[in-house]
mmCIF file of all heavy atoms in Angstrom:
data_model
loop_
_atom_site.group_PDB
_atom_site.id
_atom_site.type_symbol
_atom_site.label_atom_id
_atom_site.label_comp_id
_atom_site.label_asym_id
_atom_site.label_seq_id
_atom_site.Cartn_x
_atom_site.Cartn_y
_atom_site.Cartn_z
ATOM 1 N N PRO A 295 49.047 9.012 145.139
ATOM 2 C CA PRO A 295 50.419 9.291 144.672
ATOM 3 C C PRO A 295 50.462 9.772 143.224
ATOM 4 O O PRO A 295 51.281 10.612 142.843
ATOM 5 C CB PRO A 295 51.123 7.960 144.837
ATOM 6 C CG PRO A 295 50.372 7.275 145.920
ATOM 7 C CD PRO A 295 48.938 7.653 145.716
ATOM 8 N N ALA A 296 49.520 9.211 142.396
ATOM 9 C CA ALA A 296 49.505 9.640 140.998
ATOM 10 C C ALA A 296 49.115 11.107 140.872
ATOM 11 O O ALA A 296 49.699 11.867 140.065
ATOM 12 C CB ALA A 296 48.544 8.749 140.211
ATOM 13 N N ASP A 297 48.118 11.531 141.668
ATOM 14 C CA ASP A 297 47.733 12.946 141.624
ATOM 15 C C ASP A 297 48.878 13.849 142.076
ATOM 16 O O ASP A 297 49.138 14.922 141.491
ATOM 17 C CB ASP A 297 46.501 13.174 142.511
ATOM 18 C CG ASP A 297 45.241 12.501 141.954
ATOM 19 O OD1 ASP A 297 45.244 12.221 140.721
ATOM 20 O OD2 ASP A 297 44.284 12.286 142.726
ATOM 21 N N ALA A 298 49.578 13.412 143.151
ATOM 22 C CA ALA A 298 50.704 14.215 143.634
ATOM 23 C C ALA A 298 51.805 14.328 142.571
ATOM 24 O O ALA A 298 52.384 15.389 142.331
ATOM 25 C CB ALA A 298 51.261 13.626 144.917
ATOM 26 N N LYS A 299 52.076 13.174 141.932
ATOM 27 C CA LYS A 299 53.093 13.204 140.904
ATOM 28 C C LYS A 299 52.655 14.068 139.722
ATOM 29 O O LYS A 299 53.468 14.773 139.100
ATOM 30 C CB LYS A 299 53.376 11.772 140.441
ATOM 31 C CG LYS A 299 53.999 10.882 141.520
ATOM 32 C CD LYS A 299 55.341 11.448 141.981
ATOM 33 C CE LYS A 299 55.968 10.536 143.045
ATOM 34 N NZ LYS A 299 57.257 11.070 143.521
ATOM 35 N N ALA A 300 51.341 14.016 139.394
ATOM 36 C CA ALA A 300 50.849 14.857 138.298
ATOM 37 C C ALA A 300 50.997 16.337 138.625
ATOM 38 O O ALA A 300 51.409 17.161 137.776
ATOM 39 C CB ALA A 300 49.387 14.514 137.999
ATOM 40 N N TYR A 301 50.679 16.702 139.853
ATOM 41 C CA TYR A 301 50.848 18.111 140.263
ATOM 42 C C TYR A 301 52.318 18.542 140.178
ATOM 43 O O TYR A 301 52.661 19.636 139.706
ATOM 44 C CB TYR A 301 50.320 18.286 141.688
ATOM 45 C CG TYR A 301 50.520 19.676 142.227
ATOM 46 C CD1 TYR A 301 49.713 20.737 141.812
ATOM 47 C CD2 TYR A 301 51.533 19.940 143.134
ATOM 48 C CE1 TYR A 301 49.909 22.011 142.298
ATOM 49 C CE2 TYR A 301 51.738 21.209 143.615
ATOM 50 C CZ TYR A 301 50.913 22.239 143.197
ATOM 51 O OH TYR A 301 51.132 23.510 143.684
ATOM 52 N N GLU A 302 53.180 17.630 140.617
ATOM 53 C CA GLU A 302 54.620 17.937 140.552
ATOM 54 C C GLU A 302 55.056 18.110 139.097
ATOM 55 O O GLU A 302 55.831 19.015 138.762
ATOM 56 C CB GLU A 302 55.381 16.816 141.235
ATOM 57 C CG GLU A 302 56.907 17.083 141.264
ATOM 58 C CD GLU A 302 57.636 15.953 141.965
ATOM 59 O OE1 GLU A 302 56.971 14.954 142.358
ATOM 60 O OE2 GLU A 302 58.875 16.077 142.111
ATOM 61 N N THR A 303 54.548 17.247 138.244
ATOM 62 C CA THR A 303 54.910 17.336 136.837
ATOM 63 C C THR A 303 54.432 18.644 136.218
ATOM 64 O O THR A 303 55.148 19.300 135.440
ATOM 65 C CB THR A 303 54.316 16.145 136.082
ATOM 66 O OG1 THR A 303 54.772 14.922 136.676
ATOM 67 C CG2 THR A 303 54.714 16.194 134.605
ATOM 68 N N VAL A 304 53.197 19.073 136.560
ATOM 69 C CA VAL A 304 52.677 20.350 136.041
ATOM 70 C C VAL A 304 53.537 21.514 136.515
ATOM 71 O O VAL A 304 53.868 22.433 135.749
ATOM 72 C CB VAL A 304 51.212 20.524 136.487
ATOM 73 C CG1 VAL A 304 50.729 21.942 136.150
ATOM 74 C CG2 VAL A 304 50.321 19.500 135.782
ATOM 75 N N THR A 305 53.897 21.476 137.787
ATOM 76 C CA THR A 305 54.730 22.571 138.324
ATOM 77 C C THR A 305 56.076 22.628 137.607
ATOM 78 O O THR A 305 56.566 23.705 137.224
ATOM 79 C CB THR A 305 54.939 22.364 139.820
ATOM 80 O OG1 THR A 305 53.668 22.288 140.458
ATOM 81 C CG2 THR A 305 55.747 23.518 140.412
ATOM 82 N N LEU A 306 56.677 21.467 137.419
ATOM 83 C CA LEU A 306 57.960 21.455 136.710
ATOM 84 C C LEU A 306 57.808 21.917 135.266
ATOM 85 O O LEU A 306 58.668 22.602 134.709
ATOM 86 C CB LEU A 306 58.545 20.045 136.754
ATOM 87 C CG LEU A 306 58.974 19.558 138.155
ATOM 88 C CD1 LEU A 306 59.426 18.094 138.083
ATOM 89 C CD2 LEU A 306 60.094 20.438 138.692
ATOM 90 N N SER A 307 56.704 21.545 134.640
ATOM 91 C CA SER A 307 56.463 21.978 133.258
ATOM 92 C C SER A 307 56.315 23.499 133.177
ATOM 93 O O SER A 307 56.831 24.149 132.253
ATOM 94 C CB SER A 307 55.203 21.299 132.711
ATOM 95 O OG SER A 307 55.357 19.895 132.706
ATOM 96 N N GLN A 308 55.597 24.077 134.137
ATOM 97 C CA GLN A 308 55.457 25.532 134.150
ATOM 98 C C GLN A 308 56.816 26.217 134.336
ATOM 99 O O GLN A 308 57.111 27.235 133.690
ATOM 100 C CB GLN A 308 54.499 25.951 135.275
ATOM 101 C CG GLN A 308 53.042 25.554 135.010
ATOM 102 C CD GLN A 308 52.132 25.950 136.158
ATOM 103 O OE1 GLN A 308 52.604 26.394 137.201
ATOM 104 N NE2 GLN A 308 50.821 25.776 135.955
ATOM 105 N N ALA A 309 57.651 25.643 135.255
ATOM 106 C CA ALA A 309 58.990 26.210 135.445
ATOM 107 C C ALA A 309 59.806 26.129 134.162
ATOM 108 O O ALA A 309 60.512 27.068 133.773
ATOM 109 C CB ALA A 309 59.707 25.483 136.587
ATOM 110 N N GLU A 310 59.695 24.988 133.490
ATOM 111 C CA GLU A 310 60.421 24.839 132.232
ATOM 112 C C GLU A 310 59.911 25.826 131.182
ATOM 113 O O GLU A 310 60.687 26.403 130.425
ATOM 114 C CB GLU A 310 60.261 23.402 131.730
ATOM 115 C CG GLU A 310 61.058 23.103 130.449
ATOM 116 C CD GLU A 310 60.880 21.658 130.030
ATOM 117 O OE1 GLU A 310 60.169 20.905 130.730
ATOM 118 O OE2 GLU A 310 61.463 21.298 128.981
ATOM 119 N N ARG A 311 58.568 25.993 131.158
ATOM 120 C CA ARG A 311 58.003 26.968 130.224
ATOM 121 C C ARG A 311 58.514 28.384 130.503
ATOM 122 O O ARG A 311 58.890 29.129 129.592
ATOM 123 C CB ARG A 311 56.479 26.934 130.313
ATOM 124 C CG ARG A 311 55.775 27.855 129.318
ATOM 125 C CD ARG A 311 54.318 28.008 129.678
ATOM 126 N NE ARG A 311 54.196 28.627 130.991
ATOM 127 C CZ ARG A 311 53.032 28.769 131.654
ATOM 128 N NH1 ARG A 311 51.916 28.313 131.132
ATOM 129 N NH2 ARG A 311 53.009 29.337 132.843
ATOM 130 N N ASP A 312 58.532 28.790 131.780
ATOM 131 C CA ASP A 312 59.058 30.114 132.142
ATOM 132 C C ASP A 312 60.517 30.268 131.724
ATOM 133 O O ASP A 312 60.939 31.337 131.257
ATOM 134 C CB ASP A 312 58.910 30.335 133.648
ATOM 135 C CG ASP A 312 57.440 30.405 134.080
ATOM 136 O OD1 ASP A 312 56.600 30.700 133.200
ATOM 137 O OD2 ASP A 312 57.154 30.184 135.277
ATOM 138 N N ALA A 313 61.291 29.209 131.913
ATOM 139 C CA ALA A 313 62.702 29.282 131.508
ATOM 140 C C ALA A 313 62.818 29.475 130.001
ATOM 141 O O ALA A 313 63.635 30.266 129.515
ATOM 142 C CB ALA A 313 63.433 28.013 131.956
ATOM 143 N N ARG A 314 61.973 28.713 129.250
ATOM 144 C CA ARG A 314 62.023 28.878 127.801
ATOM 145 C C ARG A 314 61.591 30.283 127.375
ATOM 146 O O ARG A 314 62.132 30.865 126.429
ATOM 147 C CB ARG A 314 61.130 27.817 127.142
ATOM 148 C CG ARG A 314 61.738 26.408 127.175
ATOM 149 C CD ARG A 314 61.026 25.509 126.176
ATOM 150 N NE ARG A 314 59.611 25.384 126.452
ATOM 151 C CZ ARG A 314 59.049 24.466 127.233
ATOM 152 N NH1 ARG A 314 59.827 23.570 127.842
ATOM 153 N NH2 ARG A 314 57.736 24.423 127.416
ATOM 154 N N ILE A 315 60.570 30.842 128.075
ATOM 155 C CA ILE A 315 60.131 32.217 127.758
ATOM 156 C C ILE A 315 61.258 33.209 128.002
ATOM 157 O O ILE A 315 61.510 34.119 127.187
ATOM 158 C CB ILE A 315 58.877 32.567 128.595
ATOM 159 C CG1 ILE A 315 57.675 31.740 128.093
ATOM 160 C CG2 ILE A 315 58.574 34.063 128.490
ATOM 161 C CD1 ILE A 315 56.441 31.884 128.970
ATOM 162 N N ALA A 316 61.957 33.085 129.138
ATOM 163 C CA ALA A 316 63.074 33.995 129.425
ATOM 164 C C ALA A 316 64.165 33.878 128.375
ATOM 165 O O ALA A 316 64.732 34.876 127.905
ATOM 166 C CB ALA A 316 63.640 33.704 130.825
ATOM 167 N N GLN A 317 64.453 32.640 127.997
ATOM 168 C CA GLN A 317 65.476 32.447 126.965
ATOM 169 C C GLN A 317 65.045 33.060 125.640
ATOM 170 O O GLN A 317 65.823 33.687 124.919
ATOM 171 C CB GLN A 317 65.744 30.956 126.803
ATOM 172 C CG GLN A 317 66.830 30.648 125.748
ATOM 173 C CD GLN A 317 67.093 29.160 125.631
ATOM 174 O OE1 GLN A 317 66.432 28.359 126.321
ATOM 175 N NE2 GLN A 317 68.041 28.802 124.787
ATOM 176 N N ALA A 318 63.732 32.863 125.306
ATOM 177 C CA ALA A 318 63.221 33.436 124.056
ATOM 178 C C ALA A 318 63.277 34.959 124.080
ATOM 179 O O ALA A 318 63.617 35.602 123.083
ATOM 180 C CB ALA A 318 61.777 32.957 123.826
ATOM 181 N N GLU A 319 62.932 35.568 125.239
ATOM 182 C CA GLU A 319 63.028 37.029 125.339
ATOM 183 C C GLU A 319 64.462 37.505 125.174
ATOM 184 O O GLU A 319 64.714 38.516 124.499
ATOM 185 C CB GLU A 319 62.473 37.489 126.686
ATOM 186 C CG GLU A 319 60.952 37.321 126.808
ATOM 187 C CD GLU A 319 60.443 37.748 128.176
ATOM 188 O OE1 GLU A 319 61.308 38.007 129.047
ATOM 189 O OE2 GLU A 319 59.216 37.832 128.372
ATOM 190 N N ALA A 320 65.423 36.803 125.797
ATOM 191 C CA ALA A 320 66.833 37.186 125.638
ATOM 192 C C ALA A 320 67.267 37.080 124.176
ATOM 193 O O ALA A 320 67.951 37.958 123.641
ATOM 194 C CB ALA A 320 67.708 36.307 126.541
ATOM 195 N N GLU A 321 66.840 35.980 123.528
ATOM 196 C CA GLU A 321 67.193 35.828 122.117
ATOM 197 C C GLU A 321 66.530 36.892 121.257
ATOM 198 O O GLU A 321 67.119 37.407 120.301
ATOM 199 C CB GLU A 321 66.772 34.429 121.646
ATOM 200 C CG GLU A 321 67.597 33.302 122.277
ATOM 201 C CD GLU A 321 67.094 31.927 121.837
ATOM 202 O OE1 GLU A 321 66.059 31.896 121.148
ATOM 203 O OE2 GLU A 321 67.757 30.920 122.175
ATOM 204 N N ALA A 322 65.264 37.245 121.602
ATOM 205 C CA ALA A 322 64.581 38.310 120.850
ATOM 206 C C ALA A 322 65.304 39.647 121.016
ATOM 207 O O ALA A 322 65.445 40.417 120.061
ATOM 208 C CB ALA A 322 63.120 38.424 121.326
ATOM 209 N N ARG A 323 65.752 39.939 122.265
ATOM 210 C CA ARG A 323 66.497 41.192 122.489
ATOM 211 C C ARG A 323 67.792 41.212 121.689
ATOM 212 O O ARG A 323 68.152 42.222 121.059
ATOM 213 C CB ARG A 323 66.810 41.351 123.987
ATOM 214 C CG ARG A 323 67.616 42.588 124.328
ATOM 215 C CD ARG A 323 66.889 43.823 123.908
ATOM 216 N NE ARG A 323 67.658 45.017 124.261
ATOM 217 C CZ ARG A 323 67.387 46.235 123.844
ATOM 218 N NH1 ARG A 323 66.341 46.431 123.044
ATOM 219 N NH2 ARG A 323 68.131 47.248 124.202
ATOM 220 N N GLU A 324 68.491 40.076 121.676
ATOM 221 C CA GLU A 324 69.732 39.997 120.909
ATOM 222 C C GLU A 324 69.463 40.171 119.419
ATOM 223 O O GLU A 324 70.177 40.869 118.708
ATOM 224 C CB GLU A 324 70.388 38.649 121.178
ATOM 225 C CG GLU A 324 71.733 38.468 120.433
ATOM 226 C CD GLU A 324 72.342 37.115 120.719
ATOM 227 O OE1 GLU A 324 71.714 36.329 121.467
ATOM 228 O OE2 GLU A 324 73.438 36.852 120.204
ATOM 229 N N THR A 325 68.356 39.526 118.955
ATOM 230 C CA THR A 325 67.984 39.653 117.541
ATOM 231 C C THR A 325 67.632 41.091 117.196
ATOM 232 O O THR A 325 67.995 41.609 116.129
ATOM 233 C CB THR A 325 66.790 38.733 117.244
ATOM 234 O OG1 THR A 325 67.155 37.385 117.574
ATOM 235 C CG2 THR A 325 66.427 38.813 115.764
ATOM 236 N N GLU A 326 66.925 41.767 118.127
ATOM 237 C CA GLU A 326 66.560 43.175 117.897
ATOM 238 C C GLU A 326 67.795 44.053 117.785
ATOM 239 O O GLU A 326 67.901 44.897 116.882
ATOM 240 C CB GLU A 326 65.679 43.660 119.037
ATOM 241 C CG GLU A 326 65.204 45.110 118.881
ATOM 242 C CD GLU A 326 64.352 45.551 120.055
ATOM 243 O OE1 GLU A 326 64.061 44.712 120.941
ATOM 244 O OE2 GLU A 326 63.970 46.743 120.081
ATOM 245 N N LEU A 327 68.773 43.858 118.692
ATOM 246 C CA LEU A 327 70.007 44.655 118.632
ATOM 247 C C LEU A 327 70.767 44.362 117.342
ATOM 248 O O LEU A 327 71.297 45.253 116.692
ATOM 249 C CB LEU A 327 70.889 44.361 119.851
ATOM 250 C CG LEU A 327 70.337 44.819 121.200
ATOM 251 C CD1 LEU A 327 71.260 44.362 122.322
ATOM 252 C CD2 LEU A 327 70.182 46.338 121.229
ATOM 253 N N ARG A 328 70.819 43.083 116.955
ATOM 254 C CA ARG A 328 71.536 42.720 115.733
ATOM 255 C C ARG A 328 70.841 43.328 114.508
ATOM 256 O O ARG A 328 71.469 43.816 113.575
ATOM 257 C CB ARG A 328 71.590 41.205 115.600
ATOM 258 C CG ARG A 328 72.494 40.738 114.438
ATOM 259 C CD ARG A 328 72.518 39.230 114.327
ATOM 260 N NE ARG A 328 73.066 38.616 115.521
ATOM 261 C CZ ARG A 328 72.343 37.935 116.425
ATOM 262 N NH1 ARG A 328 71.034 37.798 116.250
ATOM 263 N NH2 ARG A 328 72.898 37.392 117.493
ATOM 264 N N ALA A 329 69.473 43.311 114.552
ATOM 265 C CA ALA A 329 68.730 43.878 113.426
ATOM 266 C C ALA A 329 68.941 45.395 113.335
ATOM 267 O O ALA A 329 69.052 45.958 112.247
ATOM 268 C CB ALA A 329 67.240 43.565 113.586
#
Side-chain angles (χ1 to χ4, degrees):
D297 292 339
K299 294 299 181 181
Y301 177 76
E302 182 179 3
T303 303
V304 171
T305 303
L306 293 175
S307 299
Q308 291 178 353
E310 184 179 359
R311 183 193 62 187
D312 294 338
R314 286 197 300 270
I315 290 173
Q317 181 179 2
E319 290 178 351
E321 292 177 354
R323 178 60 179 169
E324 181 180 1
T325 302
E326 182 181 356
L327 293 175
R328 188 180 298 108

